[in-house]
Amino acid sequence: MTKFVFVTGGVVSSLGKGIAAASMAALLESRGLKVTLLKLDPYINVDPGTMSPFQHGEVFVTEDGAETDLDLGHYERFVSSKMRKYNNFTTGQIYESVIKKERRGEYLGRTVQVIPHITNEIQAFIEKGAGVGDPDPARQFDVAIVEIGGTVGDIESLPFIEAARQMSLKLKRGNFCFVHLTLVPFIGSAGELKTKPTQHSVQKLREIGIQADMLFCRADRRIPEDERGKISMFSNVALDSVISVWDADSIYKIPRMLHEQGVDDQLCDILRLDLPKADLSVWDRIVQAWQHPSSQVRIGMVGKYVDLTESYKSLSEALTHAGMHNHCRVTVDYIDSEKIENDGPAVLAQYDAILVPGGFGIRGTEGKIQAIRYAREHRIPYLGICLGMQLAVIEFARHVCGLEGANSTEFNSQAPHKVVGLITEWLDREGRVEKRDENSNLGGTMRLGAQRCPVSPGTLAARIYGETVNERHRHRYEVNNHYVPQLEAKGLKITARTPSENLPEIAELPQDIHPWFFGVQFHPEFTSTPRDGHPLFISYIQAAMAQASRRGTSAAALPGVAQPAS
C-alpha cells in the first residue's frame, strides 16, 4: 500500500516546499524505498505551458511530454524516479475534468459542488499520480510525497488541503504524514527571530482540521532551542519535530541537514516503516565536489528572461552539475540579449564560453545572433539549446553561406530565406507538404517529450552521446531541410536526425573549424542530475576549462572556497 506525505506551506510562498519535499524523498530513497512526488498547483490555468516565465519561472517537460511546474525538475534531480504528466495538476485541470463529467451526465443530475465532487476529483488525481492501482509495477511506489502549492489561508488552496484532510481519514494512521513549512523571520530592529507567524500558520492549519506531524521552520540562520521550544508549545508539535531549515549555499546540502535532525527517522516512525539507516554518501560526494573545485570558468548566458533566473532553473543546475563532475566552479552571468543588440557583443570577451538557451518570440533575437557570431568568429565554446540552435543556423546562413535576410518564420514570415520554420511551411517541388509521421508526439503544433535519434559516427555528438541520443523537446519550429545542403557545404554539419521525419536534432562545426560549437534542438538540461551530471554539459564545461586555460584564467584564485587539505 502506498503511503503519503502531504507538504503544506504557510506565511509566504517561495519558501522552498519543492526542495524540502525533494530532500525528504531523497532521504527515503536512500533507505531503500521507491518514492514519487506530486505537485498540486492552485492556479486556474490548465497547465504552465502558456504562462509567462516572468510569472511562473521555468516550464519543466517530462519524458512523456507534459509541460509542468519547475518543482518537478527538483524532484527528478533529487530522486531516481521519473516524473510523468500525472505528477503535476492544477485547479484548472480539476475543474475541467469535473465539468466534462457533468456534461456527460456522470453525476446523474445531482448538484455539483466543491465538496464532495471537486475534493473527490483531487483525491482521484493524487492516487493516479501516486500509481495507486496501476497494473504496471514500474508505476507503483512505496511513498508518494504530495506538495500542495500556495499557503494555508489562501482561498484557492482550500480545496486541495481539504482533499488531503479527507484522504488522511481514509488512509488511517501509519499511512500518512503532514509536514508544514513556515517562515521564522529575523527582525533586525528587535534583534531576534519571531515565531508568531509560524504559530498563526499552524493555528490556521488546525482550524481546517489538520495537525502537523512535523514543522519545517525556514530562517536565515539556525533556530535556537528556546525559539523551537516556543514553536513546539504553541503549535502542539513535539520539540524534536520542529525542524530548523536555515539558508544553505547549496540546495544539495538540505538532505544532510534534515537527516542530522532526524527527519527520515521520524518519517519512518510515523509511516511505520522498518528500514535500514540512510546512506547519504552520494550527497556527501556531491557537496564535497561543489565545495572544493580546482578551477573555475565563467559562462555568458545570453537570454531575455535575465530578470528572473528561475526561468532557466534546470539549465543553471545542469551547468552546476557539470562543474561538480569536472571539479570546476561554474559562474553564470545572465546577459540581456537586447543590451547586446544596442551595445554590441564586446562584453562577451570576458567569458570562457557562451550559451544561448531556448525561448519564444522575436524580442532580443538579433542580440543573440550577434552573440553567436562573436562566439563562432572568436572560437569561444558555444552551446545553443532549442532556439539557440535555430539562431546558430540563421547566423551561419547569413554570414557564412551568404543567404542575406535568412530568418525563422517565427520572426519574419516574409523572410527571403526561411531556414527555420513550421514543418507545415516546407513544401516540396510539387507543392505538397512533406510527409509527417502521424504517430509522432508533436503535441499539436508543439513537439513535446522524449524522442530517440541515431547519431552520426565520428562526430562530437557521437563522442558525447554514443550511438543514440534520447532527449526531451519543447518547440514548434524546425530547421528547414531544404537549406541543409548549403549549410553543410560550408561546414555546419547536421549530426543527428529524427528517424521518423528526418528533422535536424544536432548541428555542429567540425573541431578543425571551431574547438567546440554545438547546437541542439532538444532540452538536455531536463535530464541532468547532480549524481550523474550530463554528458553534453560535462563536455561543454571541459571546453570552457580549455578556453580558460588558454586565457590564463582557469587557475585564478577561488575566493571564499575552502581548498582540500593536501
Side-chain angles (χ1 to χ4, degrees):
M1 179 179 179
T2 303
K3 297 174 185 284
F4 291 84
V5 178
F6 297 101
V7 182
T8 56
V11 186
V12 295
S13 60
S14 302
L15 286 179
K17 288 196 301 294
I19 298 297
S23 297
M24 284 190 287
L27 290 176
L28 293 175
E29 187 175 81
S30 75
R31 299 184 72 147
L33 292 175
K34 188 177 178 184
V35 186
T36 191
L37 300 101
L38 288 78
K39 175 66 183 296
L40 283 53
D41 279 309
Y43 50 77
I44 299 176
N45 303 66
V46 172
D47 64 60
T50 56
M51 296 174 68
S52 166
F54 289 115
Q55 289 248 327
H56 196 68
E58 170 188 83
V59 173
F60 183 81
V61 178
T62 60
E63 202 164 79
D64 60 356
E67 295 173 288
T68 68
D69 183 82
L70 62 82
D71 276 326
L72 271 72
H74 290 312
Y75 301 163
E76 287 204 3
R77 287 187 282 274
F78 276 76
V79 297
S80 57
S81 301
K82 296 297 182 186
M83 301 299 110
R84 302 180 298 144
K85 63 181 179 181
Y86 301 118
N87 290 81
N88 181 209
F89 60 88
T90 70
T91 293
Q93 290 171 333
I94 295 295
Y95 274 83
E96 182 182 53
S97 178
V98 168
I99 290 168
K100 285 180 178 178
K101 287 183 177 181
E102 189 272 333
R103 293 289 82 192
R104 291 194 298 265
E106 292 187 26
Y107 298 122
L108 303 176
R110 289 191 293 267
T111 303
V112 179
Q113 298 173 290
V114 172
I115 299 173
H117 301 98
I118 296 298
T119 52
N120 284 350
E121 195 73 9
I122 291 169
Q123 292 175 66
F125 271 55
I126 290 173
E127 290 177 347
K128 189 169 188 177
V132 175
D134 197 308
D136 185 354
R139 295 178 179 174
Q140 297 170 4
F141 299 93
D142 301 311
V143 177
I145 297 180
V146 182
E147 178 193 348
I148 299 175
T151 56
V152 172
D154 294 345
I155 291 174
E156 57 264 31
S157 296
L158 279 173
F160 289 107
I161 297 173
E162 171 61 18
R165 186 194 68 80
Q166 294 177 16
M167 200 167 173
S168 69
L169 296 177
K170 298 175 185 177
L171 290 167
K172 299 182 181 178
R173 278 289 169 189
N175 294 310
F176 70 90
C177 174
F178 281 102
V179 176
H180 189 55
L181 182 72
T182 72
L183 176 68
V184 181
F186 180 81
I187 307 300
S189 58
E192 61 182 354
L193 290 162
K194 290 295 185 180
T195 65
K196 193 64 70 176
T198 291
Q199 294 175 38
H200 283 301
S201 180
V202 174
Q203 181 182 16
K204 195 70 178 174
L205 191 66
R206 290 169 68 185
E207 287 175 2
I208 298 168
I210 294 173
Q211 171 62 53
D213 296 292
M214 275 192 282
L215 291 179
F216 284 9
C217 300
R218 288 283 286 113
D220 63 353
R221 64 202 68 202
R222 291 174 187 256
I223 300 175
E225 194 81 1
D226 287 348
E227 279 73 13
R228 289 179 57 241
K230 186 185 295 185
I231 291 170
S232 170
M233 180 173 61
F234 285 103
S235 301
N236 196 35
V237 174
L239 178 61
D240 289 345
S241 299
V242 178
I243 309 300
S244 177
V245 186
W246 58 91
D247 291 349
D249 51 7
S250 169
I251 59 174
Y252 303 117
K253 290 183 176 181
I254 306 300
R256 169 64 67 180
M257 180 192 295
L258 299 183
H259 171 73
E260 290 181 350
Q261 296 179 75
V263 167
D264 49 315
D265 286 336
Q266 292 190 51
L267 286 172
C268 290
D269 288 343
I270 295 166
L271 299 175
R272 299 175 186 172
L273 296 167
D274 185 13
L275 299 170
K277 292 295 182 184
D279 178 7
L280 296 185
S281 56
V282 64
W283 296 103
D284 293 337
R285 286 196 299 271
I286 289 167
V287 171
Q288 178 76 6
W290 183 84
Q291 287 181 319
H292 301 299
S294 57
S295 61
Q296 66 176 353
V297 296
R298 292 184 69 194
I299 307 293
M301 187 187 297
V302 182
K304 68 176 184 178
Y305 303 122
V306 295
D307 291 332
L308 182 65
T309 56
E310 290 284 283
S311 303
Y312 304 118
K313 190 62 180 176
S314 290
L315 189 49
S316 60
E317 289 299 315
L319 293 168
T320 298
H321 304 160
M324 293 173 181
H325 285 266
N326 284 300
H327 305 287
C328 177
R329 170 61 51 83
V330 178
T331 300
V332 180
D333 289 347
Y334 300 90
I335 304 162
D336 190 335
S337 55
E338 288 185 294
K339 289 185 178 180
I340 292 180
E341 282 185 8
N342 297 327
D343 304 332
V347 67
L348 301 174
Q350 61 187 302
Y351 295 105
D352 303 310
I354 295 168
L355 190 154
V356 173
F360 296 91
I362 191 172
R363 184 168 65 83
T365 53
E366 291 301 321
K368 295 174 185 178
I369 289 172
Q370 287 188 48
I372 295 166
R373 183 177 187 179
Y374 188 91
R376 180 179 58 79
E377 293 181 345
H378 290 80
R379 295 174 61 82
I380 300 172
Y382 173 74
L383 174 59
I385 295 175
C386 196
L387 177 62
M389 170 190 166
Q390 296 170 6
L391 294 177
V393 168
I394 292 169
E395 188 281 323
F396 196 86
R398 288 181 186 177
H399 303 124
V400 179
C401 298
L403 301 176
E404 187 175 348
N407 215 328
S408 168
T409 58
E410 180 181 7
F411 314 131
N412 181 4
S413 61
Q414 303 304 314
H417 297 286
K418 302 175 180 66
V419 296
V420 176
L422 295 173
I423 191 172
T424 53
E425 294 171 329
W426 307 350
L427 302 179
D428 67 14
R429 292 176 182 174
E430 296 179 4
R432 295 175 303 188
V433 178
E434 288 190 344
K435 183 178 183 297
R436 291 178 60 180
D437 180 357
E438 296 302 324
N439 296 317
S440 63
N441 183 20
L442 295 177
T445 60
M446 185 88 79
R447 185 146 64 107
L448 291 165
Q451 190 165 13
R452 187 176 296 277
C453 308
V455 174
S456 300
T459 61
L460 176 58
R463 288 196 290 277
I464 291 170
Y465 280 107
E467 295 181 354
T468 60
V469 55
N470 185 32
E471 297 280 16
R472 303 176 193 180
H473 300 74
R474 183 178 182 250
H475 66 277
R476 291 185 179 88
Y477 292 82
E478 309 277 357
V479 173
N480 188 337
N481 268 327
H482 294 169
Y483 286 92
V484 168
Q486 294 177 67
L487 297 168
E488 293 200 316
K490 292 293 186 177
L492 186 66
K493 304 300 181 183
I494 302 301
T495 55
R497 290 176 173 274
T498 61
S500 58
E501 296 173 302
N502 201 36
L503 299 173
E505 286 283 281
I506 298 176
E508 63 179 83
L509 286 175
Q511 290 183 294
D512 59 347
I513 297 177
H514 192 287
W516 207 98
F517 190 96
F518 206 78
V520 297
Q521 184 59 82
F522 43 79
H523 287 269
E525 67 270 25
F526 292 146
T527 54
S528 178
T529 72
R531 297 177 299 279
D532 303 318
H534 189 288
L536 175 54
F537 290 101
I538 289 173
S539 176
Y540 176 60
I541 295 302
Q542 287 170 352
M545 291 167 66
Q547 177 74 1
S549 180
R550 288 190 290 269
R551 297 175 64 237
T553 59
S554 63
L558 298 169
V561 177
Q563 297 299 316
S566 58

